[in-house]
């Protein structure tokens, strides 16, 4: 019999009427012949209310007690939901995370799921009951209640769907589905019918608040078809699955509360990045928008962003790193926001970055940092102007009018994607089946690209339009730019590095040489042969350990890193050409992958 998981978010169960409506949906699915598991969040703003109450008790409440407290919000709503189902004449049972057997590690407030026992749920389902599970919570090996992080009910839902091999996981929420960007911020945002797991993974981790990013990791790893649907009407919502869709721009995400940190005057030697990442990973700080540019005068600079709330911890970790390295200075700033463009079609098209930079130039918005990865471009802008930037990019890419390129897939249709049979997914499922714990990091492949060159423009004006001019000039000549990193500047000047195919190098150097000659003191350097090493997987950025492992393996092999970019699905480092093969070998070893011939 088919199993459907239905998750209802806070606003969708805020009052008795809404709880009843949610119960009716579950009952309807049950009566249509499915076995139904509901995952329910705390009602309305209940969790926020509990957080406020805790703050009244203590400035620094114990993490264990916080989880104990916050988990009660969900316990309240599941029992009410069970009563609502009973009153509709169906059998139902409410269960806490612990009662189900959702085992997590002991990292209170952001615990990771280790395993889920399905025995109890299956017993209830087979007895004809609707199972109503508390979202957002689990239990650690010592029987302490843990929570998965704010918004974590989505992750409970996809993890349960994965463990039960459900036919579909439906996420009922207060919007019609996933939009091109937050519809509450940009009223012209448009609902998207179909998104690839990779697109949603990037969007969610880059700040699109509609889904907990870890929930998409489960969906992709275990091939769970996911549908985000409105709880207030019968809309079809957005299907998130494996898809061949190749839109250049699928969505935009804005992370308002970013902070930037720069470590400068570092020794330019192997191990520097590794040391910084290790210090951050030790404190479980997810490091974002890492920008390491080519060293000048033997001194390296590494910049990155973190969530503003993590800044104090990050500065402590950065100080530790500098102490270990024996040199370095730290700068940081908070008035910044990160705007990202995501689209699977970027894989095969150049010019999206140039277009984005040009749109922002026309608004006079300066780009403080830039980092690109295979299917996303992120820029750091002044926080006060981030909404304006978001709106301009949404309009500039005509996202409100773009016609969906794929037909709607009906909800009744069996949506387990046929692509799940393809070899990439077989490789993935082989790796996933060997995981010791459900939420362990998945690294599926290491790649070495020896076909590119690096180009760097030093000392360029740190004013709106510089990057737009560089990348438009290059894109106009059909030169495909792969990695772009631009660092933050506190001196009125910036530095941008990018990679191009070797065959395009000569043309590219001519173009940027002409540009540089217009700018006082700007110079161009390049390296015709580089190795680009990429680790491919799922949830790479949100698992702080991946960068640590990758950069440690390279440092141990005495390999210096020239450029870095990171995303949820890929983490790349540019190294000297003659070190590419060694790097490839040590990374395969570090991630226990069999090296392909
Ligand atoms: P729930 O309580 O159902 O989990 P959330 O508040 O977590 O709901 O997520 C839904 C909200 O996400 C919407 O109200 C919307 O404002 C916000 N959001 C942010 N980005 C997007 C997006 N790209 N598409 C749809 N909603 C988005
Ligand atoms: N109730 C929790 C929160 O507000 C979990 C969730 O809603 O997903 O974060
Ligand atoms: Mg949510």
């Amino acid at each position: 019999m088919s199993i459907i998981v239905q998750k209802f978010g806070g606003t969708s169960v805020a009052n008795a009427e809404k709880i009843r409506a949610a119960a009716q949906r579950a009952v309807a699915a049950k009566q249509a012949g499915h076995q139904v598991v509901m995952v329910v969040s705390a009602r309305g703003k209940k969790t926020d209310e509990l957080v406020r109450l805790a703050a009244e008790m203590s400035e620094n409440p114990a993490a264990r007690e916080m989880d104990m407290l916050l988990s009660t919000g969900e316990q309240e709503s599941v029992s009410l939901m069970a009563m609502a189902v009973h009153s509709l004449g169906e059998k139902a049972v409410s269960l806490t995370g612990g009662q189900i057997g959702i085992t997590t590690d002991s990292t209170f407030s952001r615990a990771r799921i280790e395993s889920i026992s399905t025995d109890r749920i299956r017993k209830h389902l087979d007895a004809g009951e609707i199972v109503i599970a508390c979202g957002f919570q689990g239990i650690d090996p010592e029987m302490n209640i843990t929570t998965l992080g704010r918004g974590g009910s989505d992750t409970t839902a996809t993890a349960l769907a994965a463990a039960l091999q459900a036919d579909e996981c439906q996420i009922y929420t207060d919007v019609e589905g996933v939009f091109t960007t937050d519809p509450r911020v940009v009223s012209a945002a448009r609902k998207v019918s179909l998104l690839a797991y990779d697109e949603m993974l990037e969007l969610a981790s880059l700040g699109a608040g509609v889904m907990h990013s870890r929930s998409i990791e489960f969906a992709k790893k275990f091939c769970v078809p996911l549908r985000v649907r409105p709880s207030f009407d019968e809309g079809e919502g957005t299907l998130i699955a494996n898809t061949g869709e190749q839109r250049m721009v699928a969505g935009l995400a804005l992370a308002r509360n970013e902070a930037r940190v720069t470590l400068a005057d570092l020794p330019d030697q192997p191990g520097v990045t590794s040391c910084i990442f290790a210090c951050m990973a030790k404190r479980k700080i997810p490091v974002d928008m890492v920008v390491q540019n080519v060293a000048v005068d033997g001194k390296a600079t590494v910049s990155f962003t973190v969530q503003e709330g993590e800044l104090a911890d990050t500065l402590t970790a950065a100080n530790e790193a500098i102490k270990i390295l024996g040199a370095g200075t730290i700068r940081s700033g908070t008035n910044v926001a990160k705007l990202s463009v995501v689209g699977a079609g970027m894989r095969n098209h150049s010019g999206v970055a140039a277009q984005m930079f040009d749109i922002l130039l026309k608004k006079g918005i300066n780009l403080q940092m830039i980092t690109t990865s295979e299917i996303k471009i992120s820029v750091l802008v002044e926080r006060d102007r981030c909404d304006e930037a978001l709106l301009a990019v949404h309009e500039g890419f005509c996202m409100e009018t773009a016609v969906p390129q794929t037909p709607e897939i009906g909800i009744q249709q069996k949506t387990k994607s046929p692509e799940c049979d393809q070899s990439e997914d077989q490789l993935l499922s082989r790796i996933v089946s060997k995981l010791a714990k459900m939420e362990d990091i998945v690294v599926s492949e290491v790649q070495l690209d020896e076909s590119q060159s690096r180009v760097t423009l030093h000392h360029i004006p740190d004013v709106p339009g510089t990057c737009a001019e560089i990348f438009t000039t290059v894109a106009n000549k059909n030169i495909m730019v792969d990695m772009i990193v631009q660092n933050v500047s506190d001196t009125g000047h910036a530095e941008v590095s990018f990679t191009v195919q070797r065959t395009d190098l000569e043309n590219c150097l001519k173009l940027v040489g002409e540009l540089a000659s217009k700018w006082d003191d700007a110079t161009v350097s390049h390296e015709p042969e580089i190795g680009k090493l990429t680790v491919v997987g799922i949830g790479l950025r949100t698992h702080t350990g991946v960068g640590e492992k990758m950069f440690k393996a390279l440092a141990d092999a005495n390999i210096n890193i020239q450029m870095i970019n990171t995303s949820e699905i890929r983490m790349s480092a540019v190294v000297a050409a003659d070190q590419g093969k060694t790097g490839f070998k040590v990374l395969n070893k570090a991630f226990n992958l069999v090296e392909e011939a």
Side-chain angles (χ1 to χ4, degrees):
M1 195 185 261
S2 57
I3 299 181
I4 289 189
V5 174
Q6 298 186 326
K7 178 255 170 180
F8 293 87
T11 35
S12 305
V13 292
N15 54 36
E17 191 191 333
K18 289 186 174 177
I19 293 175
R20 224 170 277 127
Q24 266 155 3
R25 269 193 203 271
V27 167
K30 170 92 197 331
Q31 289 174 352
H34 304 290
Q35 291 189 321
V36 182
V37 176
M38 298 177 85
V39 174
V40 187
S41 288
R43 293 186 307 120
K45 299 264 174 247
K46 185 78 193 182
T47 313
D48 292 336
E49 207 180 294
L50 293 170
V51 170
R52 270 197 305 276
L53 253 177
E56 283 181 33
M57 293 303 132
S58 158
E59 258 179 35
N60 190 15
R64 179 189 181 279
E65 302 311 325
M66 270 314 272
D67 281 16
M68 188 78 165
L69 175 70
L70 297 194
S71 67
T72 62
E74 270 67 15
Q75 203 171 318
E76 175 191 76
S77 41
V78 287
S79 45
L80 291 169
M81 186 65 76
M83 294 172 199
V85 173
H86 294 159
S87 69
L88 293 170
E90 279 290 343
K91 292 192 281 185
V93 59
S94 65
L95 297 172
T96 64
Q99 286 172 335
I100 293 168
I102 300 183
T103 316
T104 71
D105 63 19
S106 304
T107 319
F108 296 111
S109 86
R110 49 182 167 195
R112 289 206 180 256
I113 296 176
E114 296 191 337
S115 64
I116 297 182
S117 135
T118 53
D119 296 355
R120 186 161 182 185
I121 293 193
R122 287 198 191 277
K123 203 176 80 205
H124 287 295
L125 291 175
D126 291 343
E129 290 168 303
I130 293 176
V131 172
I132 305 170
C134 285
F136 170 63
Q137 57 175 259
I139 197 154
D140 81 354
E142 272 79 52
M143 308 284 273
N144 295 302
I145 294 178
T146 53
T147 64
L148 309 180
R150 295 303 305 270
S153 295
D154 297 329
T155 295
T156 307
T158 54
L160 275 175
L164 291 163
Q165 296 182 302
D167 293 78
E168 186 164 281
C169 181
Q170 304 172 343
I171 306 289
Y172 288 94
T173 186
D174 58 358
V175 281
E176 280 160 30
V178 181
F179 283 64
T180 46
T181 192
D182 190 340
R184 298 192 201 283
V185 178
V186 176
S187 56
R190 180 179 47 81
K191 197 203 79 177
V192 182
S193 303
L194 181 64
L195 276 172
Y197 289 129
D198 286 349
E199 289 173 324
M200 194 64 222
L201 257 178
E202 296 288 10
L203 280 171
S205 100
L206 292 166
V210 63
M211 292 286 291
H212 198 228
S213 69
R214 282 161 53 193
S215 66
I216 322 292
E217 291 177 35
F218 276 101
K220 176 166 178 175
K221 265 155 75 168
F222 297 95
C223 227
V224 178
L226 195 61
R227 189 177 282 277
V228 180
R229 302 186 68 180
S231 57
F232 50 85
D233 69 21
E234 292 306 309
E236 291 283 277
T238 302
L239 179 70
I240 301 160
N242 272 323
T243 153
E245 189 89 3
Q246 290 297 312
R247 268 172 312 218
M248 290 228 268
V249 178
L252 307 182
L254 184 64
R256 284 168 205 279
N257 298 318
E258 294 277 295
R260 64 178 172 82
V261 178
T262 299
L263 278 75
D265 304 316
L266 299 165
D268 179 30
Q269 65 195 33
V272 171
T273 324
S274 163
C275 174
I276 297 169
F277 266 76
C279 290
M280 300 299 154
K282 205 171 88 194
R283 290 170 185 273
K284 293 207 159 105
I285 301 168
V287 173
D288 190 17
M289 274 193 96
V290 187
V291 170
Q292 178 174 3
N293 223 325
V294 181
V296 183
D297 300 333
K299 295 216 168 120
T301 305
V302 178
S303 298
F304 53 86
T305 63
V306 291
Q307 294 213 343
E308 192 174 350
E310 312 252 24
L311 182 60
D313 246 8
T314 305
L315 293 177
T316 312
N319 268 306
E320 283 165 5
I322 279 181
K323 228 179 250 159
I324 298 169
L325 294 168
T329 51
I330 304 172
R331 295 192 300 264
S332 65
T334 50
N335 183 26
V336 286
K338 178 183 59 181
L339 174 62
S340 308
V341 172
V342 174
M346 268 183 226
R347 279 195 181 110
N348 312 315
H349 290 86
S350 61
V352 181
Q355 204 178 336
M356 179 183 190
F357 303 160
D358 191 53
I359 294 165
L360 293 169
L361 156 68
K362 293 201 171 104
K363 288 277 163 196
I365 292 172
N366 199 22
L367 310 177
Q368 299 189 17
M369 271 167 86
I370 301 170
T371 163
T372 66
S373 183
E374 198 186 30
I375 65 163
K376 68 135 209 225
I377 301 161
S378 295
V379 297
L380 202 66
V381 298
E382 195 185 326
R383 196 180 292 168
D384 303 337
R385 301 196 64 189
C386 68
D387 287 305
E388 203 187 327
L390 175 70
L391 204 65
V393 174
H394 198 271
E395 256 174 44
F397 282 113
C398 303
M399 295 179 79
E400 70 284 7
T401 51
V403 187
Q405 289 172 7
T406 30
E408 290 269 351
I409 295 179
I411 182 71
Q412 301 307 339
Q413 197 171 325
K414 172 108 173 158
T415 43
K416 201 156 263 187
S417 322
E419 292 87 344
C420 285
D421 299 335
Q422 290 177 359
S423 62
E424 200 183 308
D425 296 298
Q426 279 168 1
L427 170 70
L428 186 61
S429 68
R430 257 203 319 278
I431 291 166
V432 168
S433 68
K434 288 196 201 127
L435 291 182
K437 296 170 188 158
M438 273 187 104
E439 220 171 329
D440 275 355
I441 301 168
V442 168
V443 170
S444 51
E445 198 187 347
V446 176
Q447 297 170 347
L448 170 63
D449 178 352
E450 294 183 298
S451 68
Q452 301 198 41
S453 309
R454 172 191 53 84
V455 177
T456 302
L457 279 94
H458 305 269
H459 220 256
I460 55 176
D462 180 27
V463 293
T466 310
C467 279
E469 190 165 0
I470 296 168
F471 293 103
T472 309
T473 307
V474 172
N476 282 345
K477 295 286 178 207
N478 279 330
I479 295 174
M480 176 98 181
V481 172
D482 181 14
M483 270 170 96
I484 302 176
V485 303
Q486 187 219 278
N487 68 355
V488 61
S489 149
D490 286 327
T491 57
H493 289 92
E495 211 165 51
V496 62
S497 291
F498 55 94
T499 63
V500 293
Q501 287 296 312
R502 274 181 209 165
T503 43
D504 286 330
L505 178 65
E506 206 176 310
N507 272 340
C508 181
L509 285 175
K510 220 176 336 167
L511 293 170
V512 296
E514 280 165 22
L515 280 178
S517 64
K518 292 196 320 197
W519 295 316
D520 283 349
D521 302 329
T523 55
V524 179
S525 72
H526 73 278
E527 194 164 339
E529 296 188 355
I530 52 164
K532 181 183 162 199
L533 289 160
T534 302
V535 166
V536 183
I538 302 172
L540 300 188
R541 232 157 37 93
T542 33
H543 284 81
T544 48
V546 183
E548 186 190 15
K549 212 174 195 177
M550 175 172 185
F551 301 122
K552 175 154 191 331
L554 295 176
D556 288 349
N558 217 23
I559 295 175
N560 205 15
I561 296 164
Q562 301 185 7
M563 283 167 76
I564 296 172
N565 69 14
T566 64
S567 81
E568 282 299 299
I569 49 175
R570 299 165 76 82
M571 208 169 260
S572 302
V574 167
V575 302
D578 58 359
Q579 296 188 312
K581 291 201 169 58
T582 313
F584 182 68
K585 211 175 254 163
V586 298
L587 289 179
N588 271 295
K589 191 153 168 253
F591 290 103
N592 298 322
L593 296 166
V594 187
E595 195 181 324
E596 308 245 330

